[in-house]
PDB file of all heavy atoms in Angstrom:
ATOM      1  N   ILE A 282      85.379 110.643  99.875  1.00 96.00           N
ATOM      2  CA  ILE A 282      85.987 109.593 100.763  1.00 96.00           C
ATOM      3  C   ILE A 282      87.106 110.368 101.582  1.00 96.00           C
ATOM      4  O   ILE A 282      87.993 110.947 100.946  1.00 96.00           O
ATOM      5  CB  ILE A 282      86.567 108.439  99.930  1.00 96.00           C
ATOM      6  CG1 ILE A 282      85.410 107.715  99.221  1.00 96.00           C
ATOM      7  CG2 ILE A 282      87.303 107.401 100.869  1.00 96.00           C
ATOM      8  CD1 ILE A 282      85.838 106.690  98.211  1.00 96.00           C
ATOM      9  N   PRO A 283      87.071 110.222 102.876  1.00 96.00           N
ATOM     10  CA  PRO A 283      88.063 110.995 103.671  1.00 96.00           C
ATOM     11  C   PRO A 283      89.510 110.672 103.303  1.00 96.00           C
ATOM     12  O   PRO A 283      89.817 109.497 102.989  1.00 96.00           O
ATOM     13  CB  PRO A 283      87.821 110.518 105.097  1.00 96.00           C
ATOM     14  CG  PRO A 283      86.413 110.015 105.074  1.00 96.00           C
ATOM     15  CD  PRO A 283      86.145 109.484 103.703  1.00 96.00           C
ATOM     16  N   ALA A 284      90.333 111.739 103.245  1.00 95.00           N
ATOM     17  CA  ALA A 284      91.725 111.681 102.805  1.00 95.00           C
ATOM     18  C   ALA A 284      92.546 110.792 103.654  1.00 95.00           C
ATOM     19  O   ALA A 284      93.603 110.332 103.277  1.00 95.00           O
ATOM     20  CB  ALA A 284      92.310 113.060 102.684  1.00 95.00           C
ATOM     21  N   GLU A 285      92.132 110.524 104.917  1.00 94.00           N
ATOM     22  CA  GLU A 285      92.959 109.664 105.824  1.00 94.00           C
ATOM     23  C   GLU A 285      92.476 108.158 105.752  1.00 94.00           C
ATOM     24  O   GLU A 285      93.068 107.321 106.431  1.00 94.00           O
ATOM     25  CB  GLU A 285      92.894 110.171 107.240  1.00 94.00           C
ATOM     26  CG  GLU A 285      91.535 110.242 107.952  1.00 94.00           C
ATOM     27  CD  GLU A 285      90.707 111.443 107.535  1.00 94.00           C
ATOM     28  OE1 GLU A 285      91.095 112.168 106.626  1.00 94.00           O
ATOM     29  OE2 GLU A 285      89.654 111.665 108.177  1.00 94.00           O
ATOM     30  N   ASN A 286      91.483 107.862 104.913  1.00 95.00           N
ATOM     31  CA  ASN A 286      91.016 106.444 104.772  1.00 95.00           C
ATOM     32  C   ASN A 286      91.686 105.770 103.598  1.00 95.00           C
ATOM     33  O   ASN A 286      91.317 106.043 102.468  1.00 95.00           O
ATOM     34  CB  ASN A 286      89.533 106.400 104.627  1.00 95.00           C
ATOM     35  CG  ASN A 286      88.773 106.802 105.868  1.00 95.00           C
ATOM     36  OD1 ASN A 286      89.431 107.264 106.815  1.00 95.00           O
ATOM     37  ND2 ASN A 286      87.457 106.592 105.898  1.00 95.00           N
ATOM     38  N   ASP A 287      92.677 104.875 103.882  1.00 96.00           N
ATOM     39  CA  ASP A 287      93.356 104.271 102.740  1.00 96.00           C
ATOM     40  C   ASP A 287      92.623 103.116 102.150  1.00 96.00           C
ATOM     41  O   ASP A 287      93.066 101.982 101.976  1.00 96.00           O
ATOM     42  CB  ASP A 287      94.723 103.666 103.299  1.00 96.00           C
ATOM     43  CG  ASP A 287      95.748 104.800 103.509  1.00 96.00           C
ATOM     44  OD1 ASP A 287      95.606 105.908 102.877  1.00 96.00           O
ATOM     45  OD2 ASP A 287      96.622 104.586 104.389  1.00 96.00           O
ATOM     46  N   VAL A 288      91.347 103.414 101.784  1.00 97.00           N
ATOM     47  CA  VAL A 288      90.478 102.283 101.289  1.00 97.00           C
ATOM     48  C   VAL A 288      90.651 102.103  99.874  1.00 97.00           C
ATOM     49  O   VAL A 288      90.907 103.016  99.055  1.00 97.00           O
ATOM     50  CB  VAL A 288      88.987 102.642 101.611  1.00 97.00           C
ATOM     51  CG1 VAL A 288      88.548 103.903 100.920  1.00 97.00           C
ATOM     52  CG2 VAL A 288      88.106 101.515 101.409  1.00 97.00           C
ATOM     53  N   PHE A 289      90.651 100.803  99.427  1.00 98.00           N
ATOM     54  CA  PHE A 289      90.688 100.472  98.010  1.00 98.00           C
ATOM     55  C   PHE A 289      89.225 100.065  97.570  1.00 98.00           C
ATOM     56  O   PHE A 289      88.616  99.247  98.227  1.00 98.00           O
ATOM     57  CB  PHE A 289      91.604  99.270  97.761  1.00 98.00           C
ATOM     58  CG  PHE A 289      93.098  99.630  97.730  1.00 98.00           C
ATOM     59  CD1 PHE A 289      93.723 100.138  98.798  1.00 98.00           C
ATOM     60  CD2 PHE A 289      93.735  99.540  96.517  1.00 98.00           C
ATOM     61  CE1 PHE A 289      95.075 100.489  98.735  1.00 98.00           C
ATOM     62  CE2 PHE A 289      95.097  99.903  96.422  1.00 98.00           C
ATOM     63  CZ  PHE A 289      95.727 100.420  97.512  1.00 98.00           C
ATOM     64  N   LEU A 290      88.835 100.600  96.508  1.00 97.00           N
ATOM     65  CA  LEU A 290      87.540 100.256  95.902  1.00 97.00           C
ATOM     66  C   LEU A 290      87.565 100.606  94.422  1.00 97.00           C
ATOM     67  O   LEU A 290      88.516 101.324  94.021  1.00 97.00           O
ATOM     68  CB  LEU A 290      86.334 100.789  96.631  1.00 97.00           C
ATOM     69  CG  LEU A 290      86.230 102.298  96.913  1.00 97.00           C
ATOM     70  CD1 LEU A 290      86.059 103.071  95.648  1.00 97.00           C
ATOM     71  CD2 LEU A 290      85.046 102.493  97.843  1.00 97.00           C
TER      72      LEU A 290
END
Side-chain angles (χ1 to χ4, degrees):
I282 296 170
E285 62 279 10
N286 291 9
D287 285 337
V288 65
F289 278 68
L290 51 69

